[in-house]
Amino acid sequence: MTDSQTESSPEQQLEAARKAFEQEFERFARFTAGDLETAVAEERALADLRTRHLGKKSALAVIKKLIGRVAPDQRAAFGQRVQATETAFVQSLDSAELSRADYIQQERTARESIDVTLPGRRPRFGHRHPITLLRERLEDVFVALGYVIEDDREIETDFFNFTALNIPENHPARGWQDTFYTTDGFALRSQTSTVQIHAMQRRGVPVRMIAPGRVFRRDTPDPTHNPMFFQVEGLCVDRGITMAHLKGTVAEFLRRLFGPDTVTRFRPSYFPFTEPSAEFDFSCFKCKGSGCRICKNSGWIELGGSGMVHPNVLRTVGVDPQEYSGFAFGFGIDRMTALLYELDDIRLLFENDVRFLEKFR
């Protein structure tokens, strides 16, 4: 017996395709409303059924290609039966898919509908962090005084973090116990004074700038210390700048921040990058100098350090200290924030407790 004799005829193949479709479609012929997930699963199954029986690789597609092999006197009638079978498949599938699509749409609409009679939920809006609020106040004051705002990198080379600031190799600040280092020998900046060097190299002199930003030191966290905190650095370099300009600038800044009655005082101190150097205090904004808990009953609040820019620092950036002079000052923004809001522990500012931060709206 030859292969051609064992092959089924086009009529037989058409009948087999019809029966196969009816057997698979039987479970979809009637649709009973149930749950949404079942309806979605049946919708996907119907799509697969359509592909199997009407797709390019389906049995019906193969039978269409056999129409030309049917005897000429039977070809038209066979072609009509093939077309009628395909139409029946399409109508059955369309009807089944439509019933499920309508049900799915209704169920999803019901699930996603909004009861307009319910009270609305107000979105929770964020707000600025207390440190950011104070930083913006500081920037506003100094911009009004003619200063520009500078920002720069937080990971520095040994030159910018130490050498350029007149900190020699044997200085304790370079020790591993005092400074964070990367595996490549870079250091996380331990003061915003590094921005002075970048600004003078880039801008030249004269220059008036402040540099607020984060700094890092290997401090053990406690109510008054944190290994990461915020500072603001100020710098003014020009011809004829003296200590009097420094005192006047700091005094004016504090008066604009805390009120016209604020009094300042300077105490001799030491910083490698300034000479002479001074710590500056201001009269307590709470008790006006009479003594209270905030100022520890002294009437004064210690704010930061300052001084005239050391000649070695000026020479490092190519500025002649015989022609130019300048002053610099710096203080901690987070400590000032703690003072303003009467906080006993600066760690509260970094713990991201929403219950605490919501008090600063």
Side-chain angles (χ1 to χ4, degrees), residues 59-71:
L60 197 60
V62 173
I63 294 169
K64 285 182 180 181
K65 296 177 181 179
L66 299 178
I67 294 176
R69 300 182 186 180
V70 178

Side-chain angles (χ1 to χ4, degrees), residues 55-330:
K56 293 180 179 181
K57 298 182 179 180
S58 65
L60 197 60
V62 173
I63 294 169
K64 285 182 180 181
K65 296 177 181 179
L66 299 178
I67 294 176
R69 300 182 186 180
V70 178
D73 58 333
Q74 300 176 3
R75 189 175 299 162
F78 180 73
Q80 290 175 358
R81 286 195 295 275
V82 172
Q83 184 64 41
T85 301
E86 183 179 30
T87 301
F89 287 5
V90 171
Q91 289 177 347
S92 298
L93 289 168
D94 286 348
S95 177
E97 288 176 344
L98 181 61
S99 62
R100 286 155 181 80
D102 289 342
Y103 174 76
I104 291 171
Q105 180 64 34
Q106 292 173 6
E107 285 296 302
R108 284 178 173 169
T109 300
R111 286 190 180 188
E112 297 171 4
S113 62
I114 299 175
D115 186 351
V116 295
T117 64
L118 292 174
R121 295 180 180 178
R122 294 184 178 181
R124 297 179 63 185
F125 293 101
H127 58 90
R128 289 178 175 83
H129 191 276
I131 289 179
T132 303
L133 292 172
L134 180 57
R135 173 175 173 166
E136 290 178 347
R137 287 178 62 184
L138 298 175
E139 291 177 352
D140 289 342
V141 170
F142 280 105
V143 168
L145 293 174
Y147 284 68
V148 297
I149 311 299
E150 287 280 347
D151 192 15
D152 221 294
R153 67 212 72 181
E154 295 179 352
I155 299 179
E156 287 286 7
T157 63
D158 179 89
F159 172 79
F160 286 102
N161 204 54
F162 300 116
T163 305
L165 295 173
N166 199 38
I167 300 176
E169 291 187 2
N170 59 350
H171 196 282
R174 289 178 178 246
W176 287 96
Q177 72 276 12
D178 288 330
T179 304
F180 289 105
Y181 289 92
T182 69
T183 55
D184 297 327
F186 294 99
L188 274 65
R189 66 181 184 188
S190 49
Q191 62 272 323
T192 49
S193 304
T194 57
V195 185
Q196 290 184 24
I197 310 302
H198 290 291
M200 285 191 285
Q201 285 185 339
R202 184 173 60 256
R203 290 177 174 272
V205 292
V207 60
R208 282 190 292 180
M209 50 136 285
I210 63 166
R214 292 187 301 181
V215 298
F216 307 86
R217 295 179 189 172
R218 293 192 63 177
D219 287 333
T220 301
D222 62 33
T224 58
H225 295 85
N226 220 47
M228 187 279 293
F229 55 99
F230 287 82
Q231 272 190 344
V232 61
E233 181 81 12
L235 173 72
C236 176
V237 178
D238 204 341
R239 292 182 175 89
I241 298 297
T242 67
M243 197 77 175
H245 295 100
L246 167 62
K247 295 180 69 175
T249 300
V250 172
E252 179 62 19
F253 151 65
L254 291 171
R255 282 195 291 267
R256 293 195 183 192
L257 195 64
F258 295 108
D261 298 329
T262 304
V263 180
T264 58
R265 73 176 184 182
F266 286 72
R267 295 175 286 108
S269 187
Y270 165 77
F271 302 104
F273 31 85
T274 54
E275 180 61 36
S277 304
E279 299 273 1
F280 60 93
D281 309 329
F282 66 99
S283 55
C284 180
F285 58 87
K286 188 73 173 179
C287 66
K288 305 302 179 184
S290 61
C292 67
R293 184 179 63 86
I294 293 178
C295 62
K296 300 178 181 178
N297 294 313
S298 68
W300 296 93
I301 295 175
E302 179 182 336
L303 186 57
S306 64
M308 301 301 293
V309 179
H310 199 288
N312 290 344
V313 175
L314 294 175
R315 292 189 188 97
T316 300
V317 294
V319 176
D320 185 359
Q322 299 298 320
E323 183 179 358
Y324 289 92
S325 59
F327 64 77
F329 58 87

Side-chain angles (χ1 to χ4, degrees), residues 17-80:
R18 184 185 62 79
K19 289 183 178 180
F21 174 80
E22 290 177 350
Q23 288 176 356
E24 286 196 58
F25 182 74
E26 184 178 0
R27 71 185 184 95
F28 301 105
R30 291 185 180 182
F31 173 63
T32 303
D35 59 276
L36 178 61
E37 289 71 20
T38 301
V40 171
E42 289 186 1
E43 188 179 47
R44 289 196 296 267
L46 282 168
D48 293 338
L49 185 64
R50 181 184 292 272
T51 301
R52 286 196 302 275
H53 291 278
L54 292 172
K56 293 180 179 181
K57 298 182 179 180
S58 65
L60 197 60
V62 173
I63 294 169
K64 285 182 180 181
K65 296 177 181 179
L66 299 178
I67 294 176
R69 300 182 186 180
V70 178
D73 58 333
Q74 300 176 3
R75 189 175 299 162
F78 180 73
Q80 290 175 358

